[in-house]
Amino acid sequence: MTESIPALCEANVSRAAIYRVLASLYFKELSEEQLDHIKGLDFSAFDGMDEEFSAGCADITAYLRRKNSATRQLLAADYAGAILGAGMHDERRATPYESVFTSEKGLMMQEARDEVYKTLLKAHLEVNPNLRVPEDHLSFMFEYLAVMAERCNESLQAGDFAEALENLQIEQSFHRDHLLNWIDAYCDCLESCAETRFYQGVAKMTRSFVYLDKELLNDLTEAVSEMVEDRVAA
């Protein structure tokens, strides 16, 4: 039983790392330091993971390969136009809030925000009120799943398989109800309105990993469920 714990923990570490990279891409305009960090990432480790994910990595890598003194400003402008919707009034932009993509009138601060707020509150992961950003922002959702993956590992390493299973089931429900329900529409929107290959790649990578994580969560939940059953039967 314990032989499988390192493999499960490694999967969760990888999940958390990718979610945090994605969270940083959506939270705000990228700094020079962040761009240098992303440029230095070894995306080859994800080759073969998924065709769309690899395509997204290739777009980002190709764009940053030509990084120069104007790159950060070009990406900041694309972020402002495509994601913040700055200066746009008639066209729909890829504003990263679940409420915008799931509410009837496409407005912020709707039912989805309230549901995500309650989820974060229950997990003691309240968003800093000084940010003045609604809780159903994609960055906060990705950070939530990263933290939950780490908490699952803490339970596994402590031998509390029942708690780890409960954690994974909560993740599955959140992933289904607050990511899968709008990620296609969101990524379609971002890919169509982004002007740089970089953010078009971000859209591809985001969509791909959300779907990949559905399968990863299913596999993790099944494995930990078997561990719980084995312990009960022992």
Side-chain angles (χ1 to χ4, degrees):
M1 183 187 299
T2 56
E3 292 178 0
S4 62
I5 293 177
L8 296 175
C9 288
E10 184 178 353
N12 274 326
V13 168
S14 296
R15 291 178 59 238
I18 295 174
Y19 271 131
R20 286 212 166 93
V21 169
L22 291 174
S24 71
L25 292 171
Y26 287 103
F27 185 58
K28 61 181 179 180
E29 300 169 355
L30 296 168
S31 66
E32 289 285 359
E33 291 76 15
Q34 286 176 304
L35 289 175
D36 287 337
H37 174 69
I38 295 169
K39 184 179 179 181
L41 291 175
D42 182 14
F43 286 116
S44 65
F46 302 111
D47 285 348
M49 188 175 185
D50 174 81
E51 184 175 341
E52 188 176 23
F53 193 91
S54 296
C57 291
D59 285 340
I60 291 170
T61 300
Y63 189 87
L64 293 182
R65 190 177 296 126
R66 299 183 179 182
K67 182 177 180 292
N68 56 43
S69 59
T71 299
R72 193 198 72 78
Q73 190 57 41
L74 288 170
L75 289 178
D78 199 19
Y79 180 90
I83 297 178
L84 294 183
M88 303 293 177
H89 303 288
D90 298 326
E91 293 182 59
R92 189 177 197 182
R93 300 283 96 180
T95 47
Y97 299 96
E98 183 185 353
S99 289
V100 172
F101 283 83
T102 59
S103 63
E104 184 176 345
K105 295 184 179 180
L107 301 175
M108 294 171 59
M109 298 292 288
Q110 301 302 300
E111 183 179 353
R113 177 267 170 188
D114 296 340
E115 292 174 356
V116 174
Y117 169 75
K118 292 175 183 177
T119 298
L120 298 182
L121 191 66
K122 187 174 182 178
H124 305 291
L125 293 172
E126 297 91 335
V127 174
N128 184 344
N130 294 327
L131 292 175
R132 299 181 182 276
V133 178
E135 285 77 3
D136 60 337
H137 191 289
L138 203 50
S139 291
F140 300 148
M141 294 189 182
F142 288 156
E143 178 63 24
Y144 168 75
L145 288 167
V147 171
M148 293 294 279
E150 292 168 344
R151 290 181 179 178
C152 178
N153 278 357
E154 291 173 3
S155 298
L156 287 172
Q157 291 163 349
D160 193 338
F161 303 146
E163 184 176 280
L165 178 59
E166 181 181 3
N167 187 298
L168 287 166
Q169 290 168 337
I170 291 171
E171 284 191 77
Q172 280 185 308
S173 296
F174 183 85
H175 187 275
R176 180 190 64 241
D177 297 338
H178 295 289
L179 279 181
L180 287 175
N181 60 321
W182 66 291
I183 205 64
D184 281 320
Y186 179 78
C187 291
D188 284 345
C189 185
L190 177 57
E191 197 168 353
S192 66
C193 66
E195 296 183 355
T196 62
R197 187 176 178 184
F198 181 91
Y199 279 109
Q200 291 165 0
V202 169
K204 293 174 187 175
M205 183 187 291
T206 301
R207 187 204 314 267
S208 171
F209 186 69
V210 168
Y211 277 97
L212 283 169
D213 200 40
K214 175 186 176 182
E215 302 305 320
L216 288 170
L217 278 169
N218 287 342
D219 291 344
L220 286 165
T221 302
E222 182 178 354
V224 176
S225 179
E226 290 178 359
M227 294 164 68
V228 171
E229 291 173 2
D230 289 345
R231 173 163 289 181
V232 171

